[in-house]
């Protein structure tokens, strides 16, 4: 490469040239975005990570450079020398940072040729995602993706600066660790030197960061890779990155105060947006009552209303029987949507069925009253009460779900979000934060016939709810808190259990016996007996946060080399098979061969 470049040294990036550099001699290097021949005068758009600049090659100025330019094609790698000049009158491009200037090329070197790429590398071309991921190294040349990753860099830089200023120490935790119960499936790594045993890739550094608090480091942080072998969707990946923090001698208010300051710093540094502090709060119970989910999108209204008490004695047996059997009836008012067609309403019905609802009742509010198959089952008093509760007006569409507490809330809560996007109420350039607090500590798993932790087994219960652990554990609230942004949970944390007896009690409630607890978590239980301080922390999903900051529709657009929804890499073809020798070294015999 030194022979190719010789004594040529790049003076600056292409996208950095402005009118202030007019008259300056520059040396630029980059890729050819496009080439245009205007009857002898050749123009080349040269691109690097900072942007594009126009090159002008005149055969009268340098015949040799012009001759080379005539052979140039898209994605050739060039180095050029020349003088920055103002663009001719009428050719200024105000949409480009470099739109006032061009470079009059005096020397040109072709550093490498390129095959014709399988798709155009500009920000306007729509390309199938599978093709983009197969040629990811080309996709990463596209300005939109490069801008996403550069913003991601600015986020991590801001986070590190902020946390350093708050006294945090960045400490690395192990990547090869021990498999523990609870949470998603682990990715397992066989041990060659200990045949028949396995490491697990960490789902989070949870236990190690708690041990660092026992060790007296007081404030820990890490931008860390985590791994979960779970079903994927647009905002999940098998390997993802967390901004992970833990603090000693703190309560919930300390953690929330420091962390919301960090998020505000990120928004200020990356988008120039001032986030109002303190961020609003909402208990889990309030979030479920108003929005049906614990990650409410506050950019629009469409709040849910429970009508159980108003319909429990009604003549509509579908509603009355659900309430009688312990379920609930909830509804939302889709303002101004009374014009929806039957097909659109049927589509909404199919949508709620995804979340377990048996159906969706609807009412169109007209000048003549309720237009609906269910209207005849209610008396005037019940109709008036429901209209008042839902603030119904002519032109509205009322949507009802009657089911168990979980199904009614989730199906109608997800339908609310679906409608918000369908109606254009959720704007990408609007950011609404809310802290959700006082989550349940436990929830009942009917299939496993035991309680499971809502967050994780190391979350402390609210002090006033500790007496309920013995008699009514399902009512115990946790010292847990999530930060929700535009309907996405971007961070979750809690105050941890620092008392060994309480931690053992928690394992017992989760059906983890003393022997299993000792086998899986013995080192933590031992550590808690050596003076563990009160401590708590939080982890933010870096990928998800950057996805929202950039307005991307997929988390894959903010990760350099992401996996598909089947957890594969189309570019490198991972995961792949290994040869028999490697398997024998690991003492592994396959029950199934890879396809």
């Amino acid at each position: 490469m030194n022979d190719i470049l010789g004594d040529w040294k790049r003076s600056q990036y292409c996208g950095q040239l402005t009118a202030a550099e007019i008259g300056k001699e520059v040396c630029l290097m980059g890729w050819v975005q496009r080439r245009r021949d205007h009857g002898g005068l050749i123009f080349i758009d040269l691109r690097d990570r900072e942007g594009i600049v126009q090159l002008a090659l005149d055969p009268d100025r340098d015949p040799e450079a012009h001759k080379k330019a005539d052979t140039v094609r898209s994605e050739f790698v060039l180095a050029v020398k020349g003088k920055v000049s103002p663009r001719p009158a009428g050719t200024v491009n105000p949409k480009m940072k470099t739109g006032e200037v061009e470079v009059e090329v005096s020397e040109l070197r072709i550093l490498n040729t390129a095959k014709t790429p399988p798709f155009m590398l500009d920000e306007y071309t729509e390309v199938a995602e599978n093709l983009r991921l197969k040629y990811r190294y080309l996709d990463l040349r596209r300005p939109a993706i490069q801008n996403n990753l550069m913003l991601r860099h600015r986020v991590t830089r801001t986070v590190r600066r902020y946390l350093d200023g708050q006294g945090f120490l960045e400490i690395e935790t192990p990547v090869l660790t021990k498999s523990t119960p609870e949470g998603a499936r682990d990715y397992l790594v066989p041990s060659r030197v200990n045949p028949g045993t396995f490491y697990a890739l960490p789902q989070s550094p949870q236990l190690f960061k708690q041990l660092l608090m026992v060790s007296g480091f007081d404030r820990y942080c890490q931008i860390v890779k985590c791994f979960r072998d779970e079903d994927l969707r647009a905002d999940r990946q098998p390997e993802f990155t967390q901004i992970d923090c833990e603090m000693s001698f703190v309560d919930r208010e300390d953690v929330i105060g420091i962390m919301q300051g960090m998020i505000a710093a990120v928004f200020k540094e990356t988008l120039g947006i001032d986030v109002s502090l303190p961020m609003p709060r909402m208990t889990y119970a309030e979030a479920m009552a108003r929005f049906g989910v614990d990650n409410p999108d506050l950019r629009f209204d469409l709040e849910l209303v429970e009508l159980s008490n108003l319909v429990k004695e009604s003549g509509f047996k579908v509603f009355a029987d659900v309430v009688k059997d312990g379920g609930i009836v909830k509804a939302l008012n889709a303002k101004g949507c009374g014009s929806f067609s039957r097909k659109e309403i049927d589509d909404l019905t199919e949508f709620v069925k995804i979340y377990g609802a048996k159906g969706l009742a609807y009412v169109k509010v007209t000048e003549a009253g309720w237009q609906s198959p269910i209207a005849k089952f209610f008396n005037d008093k019940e109709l008036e009460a429901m209209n008042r509760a839902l603030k119904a007006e002519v032109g509205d569409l009322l949507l009802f779900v009657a089911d168990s507490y979980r199904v009614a809330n989730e199906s109608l809560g997800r339908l609310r979000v679906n409608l918000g996007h369908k109606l254009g109420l959720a704007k990408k350039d609007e950011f609404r934060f809310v802290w959700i607090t006082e989550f349940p500590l436990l929830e009942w798993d009917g299939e496993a016939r035991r309680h499971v932790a809502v967050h994780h087994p190391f979350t402390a219960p609210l002090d006033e709810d500790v007496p309920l652990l013995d008699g009514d554990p399902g009512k115990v609230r946790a010292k847990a808190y999530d930060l929700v942004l535009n309907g996405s949970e971007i961070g979750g944390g809690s105050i941890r259990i620092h008392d060994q007896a309480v931690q053992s009690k928690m394992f017992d409630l989760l059906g983890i016996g003393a022997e299993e607890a000792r086998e899986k978590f013995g080192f933590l239980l031992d550590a808690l007996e050596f003076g563990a301080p009160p401590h708590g922390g939080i982890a933010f999903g870096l990928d998800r946060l950057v996805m929202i900051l950039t307005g991307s529709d997929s988390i894959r657009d903010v990760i350099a080399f992401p996996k598909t929804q089947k957890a594969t890499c189309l570019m490198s073809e991972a995961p792949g098979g290994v040869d028999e020798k490697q398997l024998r070294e690991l003492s592994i015999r396959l029950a199934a061969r890879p396809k």
Side-chain angles (χ1 to χ4, degrees):
M1 186 58 127
N2 287 336
D3 291 335
I4 295 175
L5 293 177
D7 60 352
W8 285 36
K9 301 293 181 185
R10 182 169 58 183
S11 61
Q12 60 225 97
Y13 287 109
C14 298
Q16 293 175 336
L17 292 182
T18 65
E21 279 80 36
I22 288 176
K24 181 180 177 181
E25 293 289 336
V26 296
C27 178
L28 306 175
M29 299 178 188
W31 288 261
V32 174
Q33 180 76 11
R34 62 181 61 85
R35 169 190 169 279
R36 306 180 302 281
D37 191 330
H38 287 195
L41 191 63
I42 294 176
F43 293 98
I44 293 174
D45 290 341
L46 193 66
R47 183 194 71 241
D48 59 24
R49 75 179 199 189
E50 297 298 326
I52 295 173
V53 69
Q54 179 172 284
L55 310 179
L57 293 107
D58 188 330
D60 295 332
R61 185 168 51 247
D62 190 314
E64 183 64 26
H66 185 272
K67 182 179 179 181
K68 290 179 183 177
D70 198 41
T71 68
V72 162
R73 297 294 180 265
S74 293
E75 300 311 309
F76 275 32
V77 188
L78 304 184
V80 299
K81 288 182 178 180
K83 184 173 73 173
V84 181
S85 302
R87 287 200 187 190
T91 65
V92 170
N93 185 347
K95 296 181 180 179
M96 292 176 61
K97 183 180 176 183
T98 63
E100 294 182 87
V101 300
E102 63 185 17
V103 177
E104 295 179 351
V105 176
S106 57
E107 294 183 70
L108 181 149
R109 289 186 180 181
I110 298 175
L111 303 181
N112 210 342
T113 60
K115 292 170 58 177
T116 301
F119 49 86
M120 288 291 291
L121 305 185
D122 58 36
E123 55 190 303
Y124 309 108
T125 305
E126 291 291 331
V127 185
E129 187 177 52
N130 282 359
L131 187 62
R132 289 174 52 203
L133 294 181
K134 181 178 180 180
Y135 296 97
R136 186 61 167 179
Y137 44 86
L138 295 179
D139 191 41
L140 288 171
R141 291 183 190 174
R142 302 173 80 191
I145 303 298
Q146 288 195 340
N147 289 338
N148 286 350
L149 293 180
M150 286 190 281
L151 184 140
R152 182 185 176 115
H153 160 72
R154 295 197 299 274
V155 170
T156 58
R157 181 182 63 190
T158 301
V159 165
R160 284 192 165 101
R161 284 177 178 171
Y162 177 88
L163 293 176
D164 181 64
Q166 295 289 330
F168 284 80
L169 304 174
E170 187 162 7
I171 302 174
E172 296 173 350
T173 52
V175 174
L176 296 176
T177 182
K178 188 176 183 180
S179 181
T180 56
E182 303 297 320
R185 299 181 201 88
D186 288 324
Y187 276 103
L188 300 178
V189 180
S191 170
R192 179 184 60 81
V193 295
N194 297 285
T197 63
F198 294 82
Y199 299 104
L201 301 182
Q203 295 187 31
S204 85
Q206 183 62 45
L207 296 180
F208 291 102
K209 67 180 183 177
Q210 288 191 241
L211 293 174
L212 287 170
M213 296 305 100
V214 177
S215 303
F217 284 98
D218 194 71
R219 292 192 174 188
Y220 142 95
C221 69
Q222 187 180 188
I223 296 178
V224 59
K225 278 283 190 181
C226 300
F227 307 85
R228 291 179 187 171
D229 186 6
E230 58 186 352
D231 296 331
L232 307 181
R233 57 186 190 220
D235 60 348
R236 283 186 179 170
Q237 282 280 293
E239 53 179 316
F240 56 97
T241 306
Q242 286 186 178
I243 303 168
D244 204 55
C245 300
E246 198 78 4
M247 293 163 264
S248 293
F249 306 108
V250 293
D251 59 21
R252 182 183 72 187
E253 298 307 309
D254 297 317
V255 178
I256 287 178
I258 291 173
M259 291 299 117
Q260 66 186 9
M262 182 188 78
I263 296 298
V266 165
F267 270 75
K268 181 65 175 177
E269 290 292 320
T270 59
L271 299 184
I273 292 175
D274 291 309
V275 174
S276 180
L277 297 179
M279 295 172 182
R281 307 273 187 96
M282 188 181 298
T283 65
Y284 171 87
E286 181 185 355
M288 296 301 291
R290 293 172 58 190
F291 304 102
V293 292
D294 59 14
N295 56 340
D297 192 334
L298 302 186
R299 289 174 292 178
F300 54 91
D301 295 325
L302 295 181
E303 292 193 21
L304 279 53
V305 178
E306 185 171 350
L307 303 173
S308 302
N309 287 335
L310 302 181
V311 300
K312 62 183 180 182
E313 304 293 340
S314 72
F316 189 41
K317 286 182 63 64
V318 173
F319 284 4
D321 288 350
V322 164
V323 176
K324 181 180 178 181
D325 293 339
I328 61 172
V329 177
K330 294 194 92 165
L332 68 80
N333 181 354
K335 301 295 291 184
C337 294
S339 60
F340 272 26
S341 67
R342 183 56 190 265
K343 167 74 166 57
E344 288 176 301
I345 294 172
D346 287 345
D347 288 344
L348 299 181
T349 302
E350 292 304 310
F351 180 85
V352 297
K353 288 181 179 179
I354 296 172
Y355 301 95
K358 300 176 185 67
L360 181 72
Y362 73 92
V363 169
K364 293 184 176 183
V365 183
T366 69
E367 294 282 1
W370 277 23
Q371 180 186 323
S372 170
I374 70 172
K376 61 187 177 183
F377 296 105
F378 300 100
N379 59 43
D380 290 343
K381 184 177 179 181
E382 290 164 343
L383 292 174
E384 183 182 350
M386 284 189 282
N387 278 333
R388 190 165 51 250
L390 291 167
K391 299 179 181 176
E393 298 174 316
V394 173
D396 292 346
L397 177 67
L398 312 181
L399 302 167
F400 305 78
V401 171
D403 216 302
S404 66
Y405 174 86
R406 184 189 65 80
V407 171
N409 274 316
E410 183 171 15
S411 60
L412 207 54
R414 300 301 177 193
L415 179 63
R416 171 187 176 270
V417 174
N418 178 273
L419 278 170
H421 287 273
K422 180 183 178 72
L423 300 173
L425 303 178
K427 295 179 171 57
K428 286 186 176 181
D429 59 354
E430 181 182 359
F431 302 100
R432 294 289 302 275
F433 295 91
V434 61
W435 285 101
I436 306 298
T437 63
E438 298 183 21
F439 284 84
L441 182 69
L442 307 165
E443 61 184 357
W444 182 254
D445 184 332
E447 187 175 329
R449 303 295 299 167
R450 65 181 181 89
H451 283 103
V452 295
V454 170
H455 277 74
H456 54 61
F458 318 107
T459 300
L462 283 179
D463 295 341
E464 58 267 37
D465 289 357
V466 169
L468 296 173
L469 285 172
D470 290 318
D472 199 352
K475 290 185 177 179
V476 177
R477 292 167 296 168
K479 290 182 179 178
Y481 34 81
D482 283 359
L483 182 57
V484 175
L485 171 58
N486 292 359
S488 290
E489 176 216 323
I490 61 168
S494 66
I495 300 301
R496 323 301 187 187
I497 297 170
H498 69 280
D499 181 274
Q500 198 260 19
V502 177
Q503 186 64 74
S504 295
K505 176 70 175 177
M506 182 68 167
F507 286 149
D508 185 55
L509 288 170
L510 296 172
I512 301 174
E515 185 176 336
E516 183 183 2
R518 174 54 54 182
E519 178 188 350
K520 300 289 187 182
F521 304 106
F523 60 97
L524 174 67
L525 293 172
D526 289 342
L528 294 180
E529 292 187 299
F530 286 93
H535 60 283
I538 194 168
F540 292 93
L542 176 62
D543 312 302
R544 191 176 296 178
L545 174 60
V546 177
M547 183 178 79
I548 296 173
L549 286 168
T550 58
S552 301
D553 293 321
S554 169
I555 206 166
R556 291 183 286 277
D557 285 340
V558 299
I559 298 172
F561 298 100
K563 304 292 190 295
T564 67
Q565 288 191 335
K566 292 184 178 180
T568 62
C569 175
L570 297 180
M571 182 188 68
S572 66
E573 300 184 342
V578 297
D579 60 37
E580 289 293 337
K581 180 182 177 183
Q582 287 176 285
L583 292 175
R584 285 195 300 271
E585 287 177 340
L586 295 169
S587 303
I588 291 176
R589 179 180 298 163
L590 296 181
R593 289 285 174 184
K595 295 180 181 179

